[in-house]
Amino acid sequence: MPAWPQALWAGLLAIPFRIEAQGVIIGQVTASGEPLIGAIVQAGSTGTVTDELGWYKLSLPKGTHQLRYSHMGFAAQQRTVTVDNADTVVLNVALSVSGRDLEPVVITASRYEKNLTEETVSMEVLRPSLLLSTNPVSLDAALQQVPGFTIVDNQANIRGGSGFSYGAGSRVLLLVDEIPQLTADAGDIKWDFVPLESVEQVEIIKGASSVLYGSSALNGVINVRTAYATSQPRTRLAAFQGLYLNPRRKNLIWWGNQQPSFAGTSLMHARRVHHWDVVTGSYLFQENSFRQGEYNRRGRLNLHIRYRFPKSAGLSAGLNSNVQYSKGSTFFIWQDDTSGAYRPLGGMDTATTTISEGESNRLSMDPYVIWNRPNGQRHALRLRYFFTRNANNTNQGSTAHITYGEYQFNQQLTSGLVLMSGLAASKSQVFSQLYQNHHGTHAAAFVQADWTYQRLRLLGGLRAEHFTIDDEKSPIAPVARLGMNYKISASTFLRASFGQGFRYPTIAEKFVNTSVDVLRIFPNPDVKAERGWSAELGLKQAFLINEWKAFADAAVFVQRYYDLIEFRFGYYDPEPVPGQINLQYLGFKSVNVGNARITGAEFTLMGQGSLGPVQVNLLGGITWINPINLDQQRIVDSILSTTDSLDAAVHDSLTKSIILNYRFCTTAKLSVDLDYRRWSLGLLVQYYSFMQNIDPFFEGTDPLLIYIFGQPTELIPGIRAYRQRHHHGQAIADVRFSYQLNERVTLSLVVRNLFNAEYTIRPALLEAPRNVQLLINASF
């Protein structure tokens, strides 16, 4: 802006304040050279909001003041200014977009914007550049890059806090723009419904977070933050085509000379039109899988609209919507571990196959109102309607509706105290062949205080929550959290945290009644809520090498769980007859299995910037856990203390049995992107140690099976033999090459499972062989 308008502003604005014997500060807040509308400028309890041209005016008494400039989605900045009576000070500030800043700005852990180094818990951040370069087809594929995070057949697992529960329930809560997005029936995450084409940043909290987010945040939280429109219109277009190549073992190939393939395209456009912000996106995907009989077709549209009220600076309202239709089939269990690992149990005959075929519809509508007031208050009302419909050829369809609402109030005080409180409620309805018809409600209230004094930051919070399913009412569940962050030096931060959590059982866990070939699953209306807590001590060190800024983080942690819900194999005859076994009552049921403790340590490294002429982006880490079933440990300790004649094999077997099922005791991840002029090279390496324990049913060693059949008996072929052959850890490497054709267009080659490793994450489900894809990205 030319100098004369600033001088004119200074002259005009100074006149009345000379009369009042106060000083005045004026200026313009910008981002990327453009005026930033609705930015908050605060000096203690005094504040204002920038106008349509990004200008602000603030009247202050004589003295030295700390000014804070903030706006949702941008890194906050502070300035120190001294004013005298009748002074007029011109102070212009440029904010940086948080997703592109060297130090990420996050909101998930505290429900308001903070620098990552200020948080009291472990967090990881996935930036949009990483999502664009790796081209994940769903959110779970993107999260595989996060240290300490694993997916076991669609079940999210942070630091060993979850295992595998047949698609019912989740101890990790998914948020999309701070609103929970779990289905009303199974309480699971629909990974492919998240609009990755419109994502700005993904934040992951490690550890119990129920105080802020309630049930299902027992093990952690994933918050997907979608993009806002800026003053400059932008468009992103991507298209890709990929092929699955042949596995090392040629007898696994069922497709002949016609390679399994996948393809897709995505589009995102964002712009401002007067007071309106509009972001729209679309996604199309089709796959003919490497697993026989499995295919996927889906299409998605999303639209985000926000209106900024010109006469009420800081007030905005909007509507986010997302709709998807998909059709496909699901491969659940292999035929065997030899030639049938990519073929379904029961073959392709419709009378015997375990392949399930169907279609689904999903819709979310999220209206909201947000008011950022000049006095540091923030009011946010967010609503969500989430609809899911699943129909299949096995008479296991389900239609679910959930309506969710939340009001949140934030107040920043001059004493360095930030107060946050809120109310949340939901109502759900389920109409299902699989679970029958049910309804539920929930209501919650929460409060949190965050106080900063010089180098020390302290945090505390409480939540109370109540659930009903049909006529069953849960007791009110109070939980608490405490946190501390101490700035040892300019680049060293010590943190400690304690958080309680709980998870109320889902409708699926209580009422599912189904079977898949030999797997029968029974309902259990009496299953109780699971609860727990997690604690952590961590140290984050920032360092700078030339223009490359990095954060090294080390943490030790403990997670404690009570009344864990797991699907357990057993004999569930409602009217058992002594001495008789009716095989139709053999199967699985969700039960509270007891208590568990997970201790561990984690080291992560995140960096971004330039090392000489090369731009380097890095995210990596290693996680060690010791996941113990405490009830089983007591039994084993009793046996070992009273028996001296056990041989080594029995002793090792007993010791191994105390480890929780479906956990990897060691995992490591490393994702690196190197950019040099027009060329880019990316590498992702993942390591998983051997999964020590699975449900003994799958290996045929369950005591009940041995009792019935007189010997170990596998009802699903090949799992025990496969695990005996592959009893070591597994490393998987992906690589990507990119070339920037011009300012707008980039061409990439992505190779996943570069060394064509053969491995399983979940028993009886072999993962993909090497696959390649050609990707083109265009930005306008």
Side-chain angles (χ1 to χ4, degrees):
M1 176 171 283
W4 65 267
Q6 295 187 13
L8 180 61
W9 269 79
L12 292 175
L13 294 173
I15 294 172
F17 288 94
R18 288 193 181 100
I19 296 172
E20 298 176 12
Q22 283 191 321
V24 67
I25 302 172
I26 65 168
Q28 188 182 39
V29 180
T30 59
S32 302
E34 297 292 327
L36 193 58
I37 305 165
I40 298 174
V41 184
Q42 278 186 279
S45 59
T46 303
T48 187
V49 178
T50 57
D51 63 16
E52 290 292 301
L53 297 176
W55 282 95
Y56 71 94
K57 177 185 70 174
L58 200 61
S59 302
L60 295 172
K62 178 181 178 180
T64 300
H65 302 273
Q66 292 285 337
L67 270 65
R68 187 177 189 271
Y69 300 80
S70 62
H71 192 286
M72 180 64 70
F74 294 84
Q77 293 192 25
Q78 289 190 346
R79 295 286 190 274
T80 301
V81 62
T82 300
V83 296
D84 201 350
N85 291 342
D87 270 0
T88 297
V89 178
V90 178
L91 183 57
N92 299 324
V93 173
L95 299 184
S96 301
V97 179
S98 63
R100 299 174 188 152
D101 227 30
L102 282 179
E103 180 172 350
V105 174
V106 295
I107 62 175
T108 310
S110 301
R111 304 290 302 250
Y112 70 94
E113 289 184 335
K114 274 186 184 178
N115 288 334
L116 182 62
T117 54
E118 298 173 342
E119 289 294 356
T120 63
V121 295
S122 284
M123 288 190 68
E124 304 294 347
V125 177
L126 289 182
R127 300 178 186 250
S129 59
L130 194 60
L131 300 178
L132 288 173
S133 64
T134 56
N135 191 40
V137 298
S138 57
L139 179 61
D140 54 332
L143 292 170
Q144 295 284 21
Q145 305 171 71
V146 176
F149 190 99
T150 56
I151 302 284
V152 181
D153 196 19
N154 292 323
Q155 304 278 158
N157 182 331
I158 296 177
R159 292 174 170 173
S162 303
F164 168 61
S165 59
Y166 304 86
S170 175
R171 294 189 187 114
V172 176
L173 179 63
L174 173 67
L175 308 172
V176 177
D177 291 322
E178 299 186 64
I179 311 175
Q181 189 167 284
L182 299 180
T183 60
D185 47 9
D188 64 333
I189 298 173
K190 301 302 183 186
W191 300 105
D192 62 6
F193 185 55
V194 177
L196 291 181
E197 61 275 13
S198 302
V199 167
E200 184 65 27
Q201 184 165 288
V202 181
E203 301 170 5
I204 301 96
I205 300 179
K206 300 175 179 179
S209 306
S210 289
V211 166
L212 292 183
Y213 298 108
S215 180
S216 292
L218 182 61
N219 185 217
V221 171
I222 305 161
N223 185 24
V224 177
R225 297 171 61 180
T226 57
Y228 282 104
T230 61
S231 57
Q232 293 295 324
R234 51 185 172 139
T235 301
R236 288 200 304 255
L237 174 66
F240 59 93
Q241 173 69 60
L243 291 175
Y244 293 105
L245 305 184
N246 292 338
R248 290 184 181 182
R249 286 196 287 151
K250 303 309 176 188
N251 62 342
L252 296 179
I253 300 171
W254 57 267
W255 50 80
N257 295 323
Q258 188 173 355
Q259 300 297 137
S261 63
F262 57 96
T265 182
S266 67
L267 173 68
M268 189 279 289
H269 178 72
R271 68 165 52 236
R272 282 182 176 170
V273 182
H274 301 297
H275 306 298
W276 293 90
D277 298 343
V278 180
V279 180
T280 183
S282 64
Y283 189 83
L284 294 173
F285 178 75
Q286 66 171 9
E287 177 189 37
N288 296 315
S289 176
F290 56 93
R291 298 187 181 112
Q292 189 180 27
E294 187 176 62
Y295 70 95
N296 192 348
R297 310 282 187 270
R298 67 176 181 266
R300 180 172 61 238
L301 293 171
N302 52 84
L303 177 65
H304 297 185
I305 301 174
R306 179 174 65 171
Y307 182 73
R308 292 170 281 103
F309 292 86
K311 295 183 179 180
S312 300
L315 179 63
S316 63
L319 175 67
N320 298 342
S321 57
N322 191 19
V323 60
Q324 178 174 287
Y325 171 78
S326 63
K327 182 177 182 180
S329 58
T330 302
F331 183 110
F332 187 60
I333 304 171
W334 68 24
Q335 193 175 83
D336 57 58
D337 65 313
T338 54
S339 61
Y342 284 143
R343 293 177 170 87
L345 185 66
M348 292 302 297
D349 189 321
T350 55
T352 59
T353 187
T354 51
I355 290 284
S356 172
E357 191 170 4
E359 61 180 13
S360 69
N361 303 88
R362 292 163 194 161
L363 168 70
S364 66
M365 302 285 288
D366 309 338
Y368 65 89
V369 178
I370 296 175
W371 189 17
N372 293 306
R373 300 190 62 193
N375 61 1
Q377 293 181 353
R378 186 171 192 267
H379 303 265
L381 177 65
R382 295 184 176 90
L383 307 174
R384 168 165 289 159
Y385 169 69
F386 186 27
F387 166 81
T388 58
R389 183 187 75 89
N390 300 301
N392 56 43
N393 62 348
T394 57
N395 297 318
Q396 297 179 347
S398 179
T399 299
H401 310 257
I402 184 167
T403 304
Y404 177 90
E406 180 180 286
Y407 167 73
Q408 181 187 331
F409 170 76
N410 284 28
Q411 173 71 69
Q412 297 187 13
L413 302 176
T414 56
S415 59
L417 182 65
V418 178
L419 298 176
M420 188 273 292
S421 60
L423 301 170
S426 69
K427 181 178 181 179
S428 59
Q429 289 183 298
V430 174
F431 307 95
S432 174
Q433 299 166 301
L434 190 58
Y435 320 117
Q436 304 305 313
N437 299 341
H438 301 278
H439 61 273
T441 62
H442 116 278
F446 54 94
V447 62
Q448 179 176 279
D450 192 335
W451 178 62
T452 302
Y453 177 73
Q454 297 181 356
R455 294 170 176 259
L456 178 66
R457 181 184 293 270
L458 298 175
L459 178 148
L462 295 169
R463 185 185 187 97
E465 195 146 10
H466 174 69
F467 287 85
T468 68
I469 291 184
D470 299 332
D471 296 326
E472 179 188 348
K473 297 181 179 180
S474 74
I476 294 176
V479 290
R481 72 176 297 203
L482 296 170
M484 180 275 293
N485 185 297
Y486 183 73
K487 187 176 181 180
I488 297 174
S489 68
S491 56
T492 307
F493 302 83
L494 177 69
R495 68 178 184 277
S497 64
F498 169 84
Q500 294 177 311
F502 67 95
R503 189 179 73 84
Y504 196 69
T506 64
I507 287 174
E509 288 167 306
K510 281 177 167 287
F511 303 110
V512 62
N513 191 352
T514 188
S515 63
V516 181
D517 196 75
V518 296
L519 295 180
R520 182 76 191 274
I521 302 177
F522 298 94
N524 183 11
D526 299 323
V527 66
K528 300 183 300 182
E530 55 186 2
R531 54 196 172 85
W533 56 265
S534 63
E536 178 187 81
L537 180 65
L539 184 72
K540 189 177 292 290
Q541 177 68 51
F543 58 93
L544 189 67
I545 303 175
N546 295 328
E547 296 182 4
W548 190 69
K549 187 173 185 179
F551 300 92
D553 191 280
V556 292
F557 55 87
V558 58
Q559 303 174 72
R560 191 76 160 81
Y561 297 102
Y562 306 89
D563 294 323
L564 273 178
I565 300 174
E566 288 189 5
F567 280 87
R568 279 293 177 92
F569 180 73
Y571 183 63
Y572 299 112
D573 188 342
E575 298 179 355
V577 177
Q580 296 183 17
I581 296 292
N582 188 338
L583 294 182
Q584 68 174 331
Y585 292 112
L586 283 177
F588 290 83
K589 184 163 70 171
S590 63
V591 295
N592 296 102
V593 299
N595 305 317
R597 182 189 64 229
I598 301 169
T599 54
E602 185 173 78
F603 174 79
T604 62
L605 180 64
M606 177 179 68
Q608 181 179 351
S610 298
L611 289 173
V614 180
Q615 181 79 14
V616 180
N617 296 328
L618 182 147
L619 175 63
I622 184 168
T623 307
W624 300 271
I625 62 170
N626 185 30
I628 300 300
N629 182 327
L630 294 176
D631 296 327
Q632 179 67 13
Q633 186 181 47
R634 280 190 285 270
I635 295 172
V636 171
D637 288 346
S638 176
I639 294 172
L640 295 180
S641 64
T642 57
T643 307
D644 298 326
S645 57
L646 294 176
D647 61 31
V650 174
H651 185 280
D652 290 345
S653 178
L654 285 171
T655 303
K656 172 187 165 185
S657 71
I658 69 174
I659 297 174
L660 292 170
N661 291 343
Y662 307 111
R663 267 70 171 186
F664 299 103
C665 292
T666 303
T667 58
K669 311 284 183 72
L670 177 63
S671 178
V672 183
D673 275 305
L674 307 175
D675 299 334
Y676 177 71
R677 295 183 179 177
R678 293 175 177 262
W679 293 94
S680 295
L681 170 66
L683 177 68
L684 171 63
V685 178
Q686 305 174 65
Y687 171 79
Y688 302 92
S689 63
F690 178 64
M691 185 180 284
Q692 296 275 0
N693 278 345
I694 63 173
D695 196 302
F697 165 83
F698 286 110
E699 294 188 295
T701 58
D702 188 279
L704 183 57
L705 288 177
I706 296 174
Y707 170 76
I708 294 171
F709 297 104
Q711 61 182 355
T713 302
E714 278 190 302
L715 299 183
I716 300 174
I719 295 179
R720 182 169 47 174
Y722 188 89
R723 284 173 52 81
Q724 288 173 348
R725 293 198 308 271
H726 299 264
H727 59 277
H728 48 75
Q730 183 64 62
I732 306 101
D734 303 340
V735 66
R736 50 196 181 272
F737 305 92
S738 299
Y739 180 72
Q740 190 175 6
L741 300 176
N742 54 46
E743 289 183 350
R744 303 185 183 278
V745 181
T746 301
L747 187 65
S748 302
L749 176 68
V750 181
V751 183
R752 293 200 171 96
N753 194 359
L754 177 65
F755 300 110
N756 211 12
E758 182 183 312
Y759 66 103
T760 63
I761 298 294
R762 193 264 282 169
L765 192 68
L766 195 63
E767 297 298 321
R770 180 190 297 129
N771 56 94
V772 299
Q773 62 175 290
L774 192 63
L775 167 68
I776 185 167
N777 278 303
S779 300
F780 305 96

